[in-house]
Amino acid sequence: MPLMGYTKVAEVDLAARKIATKDVDEKLAYDYVGSRGWAAEIIFERVSLKTKPLDPKNLLVVAAGPLTVPNFPGGSKTTFASISPQTGIYGDSNVGGFFGHRLRKAGFDALIISGASKNPAYLSVIDGGIAINDAGDLWGRGSSEVDRILRDKHGEDSSVASIGVAGENLVSFACVNVDWERSKTRHGQAGRTGVGAVMGTKRLKAIVTKGSRDVRIAQPERLSDIYRKSLDIVTHNPTYKTWMRQGTMSVIEWANEVEALPTLNFQKTQFENARDIGGDVMEKETKIKSRPCSNCPVPCEHVSRVKDEEGRPVEIGVEYENAALLGANVGLSNFTYLVRANYVADDLGLDTISAGGVIAFVMEAYQRGLVSRRQLGFEPKFGDLKSVLKLLTMIAQRKGFGDAMANGVRALAQKIGKGSSRFAMEVKGLEISGYDHRAAPAMALSYATTDIGAHHNRSWAITYDLKVGRDSYGEDKVDQVIYLQHLRPLFDMLGVCRFHWVELGMDPNLYAEAYSAVTGKEFTLDELLKRSERVWNLTRAMAVLRKGISAKDDQLPERDFIDPIPSGKTAGMKLERERFTNMLHTYYRKRGWDDEGRPTREKLNELGLTEAAARLYG
């Protein structure tokens, strides 16, 4: 009998074409909660340190969480995880929509996918059954077309997770698209760390899922009461109507105002045309509808309709990170252009954050004379849509200079040389997401120490910088970063969206209450945060074991320390190297790590990670 709140785990060997299922065991369930927690534990236990990211022996773990249930707001998230082709260490990406909800309705919490299919394939996960199907006719097609074909075949009530040609061509920052145009549900991406390339190397074009099964809830009436309480908090928040109208696109104007909007490859912190690519323009000029994730009272994807260069309609929802990195950061100042660029990136299957970072880097390198027109085949210019679209296509198809760009900013800077690494905006090989942090030390520390590389979703600390002072490097900021690095990833473990907490005021204790109601076992928030700390230390231990990650890797681009912000109220500010280094070592001390950033034996044993301690210390 499955545990309350959980269903089954499926193991799929694409090479041997074998499928096995099993109930969830108590240790995995209660020690690692679900989704991201499970992914980290499974990959630690089962992927050899000798296994390369694009080796068929690398695992792809696709996992929903125990709160991906109908009676909890934002219960919609799914983790896609693997050893990352981009960083070489553990990587994951979290996506909303209806995929996780439908995976659970199909009877599964997680898929553990190994091996590589001889020929292109897709998985169908439907009402307790799993099949490996031929995808020869899908290979080479964009995600929008693949979604349409598979939805026609399996029904509009199915969810489709697919890769584009970028994943097929093993671009290191290829993403996984979840659901598309005709769906009434939210379109999203498991964008970061290159999980799309892992699917590509496995010759796995897509995963389709749907079902009619219900997850067994231990205390349904209690969960319904928590849901009503949560819904009341969310819908009565003063900002609720703004999020309903614009979603995260309103953050463009905010980031520009607080001088943190990445502009022209992080050269500037404000974009003079920010209002032309922000939430107000989207709402008034291009928005046609809104779409929610499963179980969510806030339909935060706002779909725009524009026309492409041939006059054909293009529809897609644009979020803040898309607009920041593939908008302001590459200089696009027209919202229609922004929508078109993001549509192309999604259809090709490229992470828009990394793609925007790579393209902006190349544009600056060209601007500085470090790469030539002969190398690129044309003159790329900031603010030029044709340049952006051409570079996106070159990357996805690995054509010409796009082959080098497809390996990400770090590898590209190493190839170009000539001091270009100074403005290669990445940490541990992952391109930095949408917040300039030269005047935000807590955000800078977040980026430097995030387990998968520089991504804001683990610890969005910039609001704390704004609250207590942007020139402060105090211990309170270290404490805040660590707290956020436990709380925010906990939402991923539970399979819920953090939006309701961070923007709409939900009490974090309600998540612990909901988990207790679903499983029938009582957990406090502190107990769940301890499990999140366990996973944080596990992924760090994996990084140390796999690549010797240490203090030398918890570093930021040279631009952050030597290029002062050029204008605005924060003009002249940059990170102070000595104070930041001291802040980093305070972080290590407070985490129970040594001076090189390795979790100590004592800390690992305290968290129950005895196997990790044994591997690190013998």
Side-chain angles (χ1 to χ4, degrees):
M1 178 69 71
L3 301 174
M4 282 290 182
Y6 294 98
T7 58
K8 288 181 177 290
V9 173
E11 300 209 26
V12 179
D13 184 335
L14 292 171
R17 303 185 81 80
K18 291 183 178 178
I19 298 165
T21 65
K22 61 182 179 181
D23 289 339
V24 179
D25 68 73
E26 290 193 14
K27 179 176 175 58
L28 189 63
Y30 304 135
D31 286 1
Y32 294 93
V33 182
S35 200
R36 174 178 179 269
W38 287 11
E41 165 65 2
I42 290 166
I43 289 169
F44 172 75
E45 290 290 345
R46 297 179 50 177
V47 180
S48 165
L49 295 177
K50 296 179 181 179
T51 299
K52 303 297 184 184
L54 297 179
D55 188 313
K57 293 180 181 178
N58 191 11
L59 294 180
L60 174 68
V61 179
V62 182
L67 291 190
T68 304
V69 290
N71 269 3
F72 194 75
S76 63
K77 292 289 190 171
T78 310
T79 291
F80 285 69
S82 198
I83 298 300
S84 166
Q86 200 164 12
T87 64
I89 56 179
Y90 170 84
D92 65 37
S93 194
N94 198 258
V95 63
F98 271 63
F99 187 89
H101 169 76
R102 287 171 173 154
L103 181 66
R104 297 256 284 168
K105 293 284 282 184
F108 298 97
D109 290 329
L111 309 174
I112 304 171
I113 303 170
S114 62
S117 177
K118 183 178 180 181
N119 300 307
Y122 79 90
L123 291 180
S124 54
V125 185
I126 299 173
D127 263 333
I130 301 178
I132 302 171
N133 309 282
D134 178 71
D137 61 332
L138 302 178
W139 204 254
R141 298 178 188 262
S143 276
S144 61
E145 189 178 6
V146 170
D147 186 277
R148 185 172 64 252
I149 292 169
L150 291 178
R151 203 179 293 274
D152 282 343
K153 183 173 183 178
H154 293 282
E156 290 297 318
D157 59 341
S158 59
S159 275
V160 178
S162 66
I163 60 172
V165 296
E168 297 175 7
N169 291 324
L170 311 184
V171 174
S172 73
F173 47 95
C175 72
V176 179
N177 280 290
V178 173
D179 297 335
W180 200 271
E181 298 174 48
R182 293 185 303 163
S183 172
K184 296 179 181 178
T185 63
R186 193 182 193 282
H187 168 51
Q189 293 78 33
R192 312 246 58 200
T193 75
V195 286
V198 176
M199 283 183 64
T201 200
K202 293 183 177 302
R203 307 280 280 174
L204 180 63
K205 183 65 177 179
I207 306 170
V208 183
T209 188
K210 69 175 183 177
S212 57
R213 303 181 174 200
D214 292 324
V215 177
R216 295 167 65 242
I217 305 298
Q219 299 168 356
E221 291 185 7
R222 181 185 178 190
L223 183 63
S224 294
D225 184 60
I226 295 166
Y227 176 74
R228 286 190 292 270
K229 189 184 300 184
S230 303
L231 198 62
D232 184 65
I233 293 170
V234 167
T235 57
H236 286 89
N237 186 284
T239 65
Y240 176 69
K241 290 183 179 179
T242 300
W243 295 112
M244 289 284 285
R245 295 193 341 262
Q246 296 187 2
T248 62
M249 282 304 299
S250 63
V251 180
I252 283 286
E253 288 92 342
W254 174 85
N256 201 57
E257 181 181 341
V258 302
E259 300 175 9
L261 181 63
T263 302
L264 309 183
N265 196 37
F266 288 80
Q267 293 183 69
K268 298 163 57 179
T269 60
Q270 288 184 302
F271 186 39
E272 60 186 9
N273 300 109
R275 290 197 173 277
D276 295 327
I277 61 168
D280 288 341
V281 167
M282 179 272 295
E283 183 182 4
K284 294 173 183 175
E285 297 183 9
T286 64
K287 177 181 170 181
I288 58 168
K289 58 185 174 182
S290 299
R291 294 191 292 206
C293 296
S294 61
N295 316 316
C296 186
V298 190
C300 71
E301 184 194 25
H302 301 285
V303 180
S304 288
R305 178 185 289 150
V306 302
K307 291 184 177 179
D308 66 14
E309 59 186 0
E310 296 179 12
R312 296 171 299 192
V314 168
E315 293 181 11
I316 202 162
V318 180
E319 306 288 338
Y320 168 73
E321 294 293 331
N322 316 137
L325 274 300
L326 204 55
N329 203 42
V330 297
L332 293 183
S333 57
N334 178 297
F335 195 78
T336 296
Y337 291 175
L338 177 67
V339 173
R340 287 171 56 186
N342 276 272
Y343 184 94
V344 169
D346 283 0
D347 196 36
L348 291 170
L350 292 167
D351 171 21
T352 52
I353 296 175
S354 285
V358 170
I359 289 171
F361 172 77
V362 168
M363 287 177 169
E364 183 173 353
Y366 181 79
Q367 195 178 58
R368 292 174 176 272
L370 305 183
V371 293
S372 66
R373 178 173 180 168
R374 182 184 60 79
Q375 288 175 285
L376 295 167
F378 72 109
E379 297 182 37
K381 298 176 182 178
F382 282 115
D384 178 44
L385 176 63
K386 289 184 178 179
S387 293
V388 173
L389 297 182
K390 187 173 182 66
L391 289 170
L392 287 171
T393 303
M394 287 169 60
I395 292 167
Q397 296 179 348
R398 282 188 174 270
K399 285 190 174 180
F401 199 73
D403 187 50
M405 295 174 69
N407 296 320
V409 161
R410 172 174 284 194
L412 186 57
Q414 291 170 350
K415 179 179 178 64
I416 293 172
K418 305 173 187 176
S420 60
S421 61
R422 180 174 71 81
F423 55 90
M425 305 306 290
E426 54 83 18
V427 177
K428 299 182 181 73
L430 187 69
E431 288 74 21
I432 297 173
S433 60
Y435 303 92
D436 194 289
H437 43 279
R438 284 172 286 185
M443 192 70 229
L445 182 65
S446 296
Y447 279 145
T449 58
T450 293
D451 59 341
I452 61 170
H455 191 33
H456 66 283
N457 83 324
R458 296 291 208 257
S459 173
W460 191 58
I462 191 168
T463 53
Y464 192 75
D465 285 303
L466 296 173
K467 177 182 177 181
V468 303
R470 302 183 75 159
D471 59 351
S472 164
Y473 290 72
E475 284 196 20
D476 61 314
K477 288 193 173 182
V478 176
D479 291 335
Q480 181 71 2
V481 168
I482 292 173
Y483 171 69
L484 291 174
Q485 287 178 341
H486 294 165
L487 180 61
R488 292 174 70 92
L490 174 61
F491 297 140
D492 292 344
M493 294 165 68
L494 291 167
V496 298
C497 179
R498 62 184 62 83
F499 188 87
H500 307 83
W501 161 73
V502 71
E503 300 294 357
L504 295 168
M506 265 188 66
D507 181 351
N509 288 287
L510 288 173
Y511 295 90
E513 288 188 38
Y515 181 61
S516 300
V518 167
T519 62
K521 291 177 68 69
E522 290 301 313
F523 286 88
T524 66
L525 178 62
D526 285 343
E527 288 171 334
L528 290 178
L529 287 172
K530 202 67 178 176
R531 284 155 176 76
S532 187
E533 181 185 4
R534 173 185 291 142
V535 175
W536 193 270
N537 278 265
L538 181 62
T539 57
R540 180 68 174 198
M542 275 195 273
V544 175
L545 287 164
R546 182 166 285 276
K547 287 193 71 176
I549 293 293
S550 67
K552 72 181 185 306
D553 303 288
D554 295 334
Q555 299 298 324
L556 295 159
E558 279 296 291
R559 165 156 285 160
D560 292 331
F561 298 99
I562 64 177
D563 289 350
I565 295 171
S567 60
K569 296 178 182 178
T570 56
M573 293 187 72
K574 58 185 178 180
L575 290 176
E576 299 177 39
R577 196 182 302 274
E578 184 176 350
R579 294 178 75 190
F580 181 78
T581 299
N582 290 337
M583 193 183 195
L584 180 63
H585 284 281
T586 299
Y587 172 91
Y588 292 159
R589 173 174 56 81
K590 286 179 172 285
R591 275 218 169 273
W593 297 357
D594 65 21
D595 287 343
E596 286 301 309
R598 300 195 310 168
T600 61
R601 182 192 295 272
E602 292 74 21
K603 171 54 71 171
L604 293 172
N605 286 332
E606 172 201 320
L607 295 169
L609 297 171
T610 54
E611 177 62 24
R615 292 192 199 180
L616 269 179
Y617 296 104

